Amino acid sequence: MSLNREEKAVVIEEVTAELAKAQSIIIAEYRGLDVASATVLRKKARESGVYLRVLKNTLVRRSLTGTSFDGISSQLVGPLMYAISEDPVAAAKVVADFAKTNDKLVIMGGALPNSVLSADGVKALATMPSRDELLAKLLGTMQAPIATFVRTLNEVPTKFVRGLAAVRDQKEAA
């Protein structure tokens, strides 16, 4: 069923709003994907905060005009599913993880602001840790020297107390 002009305008506005706050867009061909599999993929995307939708390519091209993702317009051919996310890695992870288990979903490419990614680039992006994981690693790295210093300071009185206890036990035994 085709959309009328007002419905198309609403879709364009919705996609434009998503693209305004997005850090990545991933496109994948879904030809032959059954409804149950698509539902599982949509659920995973929702849990990860990824906007996942099947859209008409002409509507997406109009939404991309004037954005930092405009370079991907030439790749919009065929039946495509669009994954858009604020986290640069989240959309790539969701789509790539699902594509590993389901060969009907084929990653066609993607884009980060002002750069276009090939299918291999999207798969490489999916292997990167997310922003939260990177922040956790950074925090752990920053805390490591401080924690080691505190443990070292704590060892001096501990060794002293152990030495006193050994002397006490030696005098009691004699």
Side-chain angles (χ1 to χ4, degrees), residues 36-95:
S37 297
T39 304
V40 170
L41 176 59
R42 284 191 170 122
K43 182 180 177 198
K44 288 180 183 179
R46 205 174 311 115
E47 290 169 355
S48 299
V50 175
Y51 175 83
L52 183 74
R53 191 152 174 206
V54 174
L55 296 164
K56 288 186 151 219
N57 296 334
T58 54
L59 298 180
V60 175
R61 273 193 202 97
R62 287 185 183 167
S63 297
L64 288 171
T65 304
T67 67
S68 58
F69 300 104
D70 201 15
I72 200 171
S73 294
S74 62
Q75 295 181 6
L76 305 182
V77 179
L80 297 176
M81 182 177 282
Y82 299 89
I84 303 170
S85 71
E86 293 179 37
D87 182 2
V89 180
K93 275 189 190 259
V94 168
V95 175

